[in-house]
Amino acid sequence: MATAPLIRRLGRVDYAATVEAMRAFTEARDEHTPDEIWLCEHAPVYTQGVAGKAEHVLDAHGIPVVQTNRGGQVTYHGPGQVVAYPLIDLRRLGIFVKEYVFRLENAVLRTLERHGVTGHRVRGAPGIYVRLDYPFGHARLSEDEQRSFTGLGKIAALGVKVSQHRTYHGVALNVAMDLSPFDGINPCGYAGLATVDLAKIGVSTDWDSAARMLGDHLAAQFAR
């Protein structure tokens, strides 16, 4: 029988303290430590990746900007967003980072499918996107949509850190939140990129339900 990661529901927690807890967990674990998935939400905060450029923060409007050690550029976390932090031993699972990211995205895609929403990958831009005009259609993205994000909105952002083949940080799915803070940044480094949540595209669900669903799909992706 497959062994799935342990899911921990943390509720609303401080961003910086949670990153420190993930780092400590990752440094202290050994080859026998069970994998875990932490589900939480944060008070409003902008987070910058290792290579994050200051010019992508346009106007923070008093929201803290925190430097962090994940990959990627700037993003926003806030209430109404499910943040999932998988703490996975990739070597034990037998996969590499590219496959890990693929599985993270798969979990989001399957969560969206449960709500009748079609999510999309965009080449070279990790995360999951939806068509703004009709998020429930199944047609593939065109080359123009892939190249310029034409008509697309980002609904889930990824940012990962791998240390000694063990992961932390993770994925954020926008459920029902105040989206206006995304106007203060170039989301993930892309000027003008629209950001949406499930509520904006007509899906009614609550944080607990979305967190449970995403957590279950992540656990299935990383069972061994």
Side-chain angles (χ1 to χ4, degrees):
M1 175 179 265
T3 300
L6 173 67
I7 297 176
R8 297 191 183 277
R9 297 167 63 89
L10 306 183
R12 188 173 300 182
V13 290
D14 178 75
Y15 177 78
T18 307
V19 171
E20 175 59 25
M22 287 191 289
R23 184 197 61 78
F25 176 93
T26 301
E27 290 185 356
R29 68 181 301 177
D30 61 26
E31 65 271 21
H32 304 295
T33 305
D35 291 335
E36 298 189 2
I37 296 169
W38 297 359
L39 301 172
C40 63
E41 64 179 340
H42 298 303
V45 61
Y46 293 120
T47 71
Q48 277 278 29
V50 173
K53 297 179 179 179
E55 60 262 33
H56 291 311
V57 180
L58 308 176
D59 189 341
H61 291 291
I63 296 173
V65 181
V66 177
Q67 297 294 321
T68 188
N69 63 347
R70 62 164 173 78
Q73 295 284 332
V74 65
T75 194
Y76 169 74
H77 296 307
Q81 179 189 66
V82 176
V83 185
Y85 295 129
L87 308 172
I88 307 297
D89 186 329
L90 299 184
R91 176 179 287 167
R92 186 169 61 196
L93 196 59
I95 65 174
F96 296 99
V97 175
K98 186 175 181 179
E99 173 67 16
Y100 172 69
V101 170
F102 184 83
R103 294 191 189 190
L104 280 181
E105 293 177 336
N106 267 353
V108 176
L109 291 171
R110 293 182 182 186
T111 301
L112 294 177
E113 283 176 6
R114 293 281 297 276
H115 295 289
V117 175
T118 300
H120 301 274
R121 293 181 172 95
V122 172
R123 288 190 300 273
I128 296 300
Y129 303 79
V130 296
R131 282 195 172 92
L132 297 175
D133 60 347
Y134 188 51
F136 310 103
H138 301 297
R140 292 183 179 181
L141 297 184
S142 68
E143 285 300 317
D144 185 54
E145 288 171 316
Q146 289 270 353
R147 184 171 54 253
S148 64
F149 302 105
T150 302
L152 300 181
K154 192 164 192 173
I155 199 166
L158 272 67
V160 305
K161 169 70 176 177
V162 180
S163 177
Q164 300 296 310
H165 306 284
R166 291 155 181 163
T167 70
Y168 59 108
H169 293 285
V171 59
L173 173 63
N174 304 333
V175 178
M177 58 191 301
D178 176 8
L179 294 168
S180 63
F182 286 103
D183 296 335
I185 59 173
N186 292 328
C188 303
Y190 295 100
L193 175 62
T195 305
V196 297
D197 60 12
L198 286 171
K200 188 168 184 176
I201 60 174
V203 174
S204 178
T205 189
D206 58 28
W207 189 94
D208 287 326
S209 298
R212 181 174 60 254
M213 194 176 296
L214 179 59
D216 287 346
H217 284 300
L218 285 167
Q221 290 292 317
F222 299 117
R224 58 181 178 85

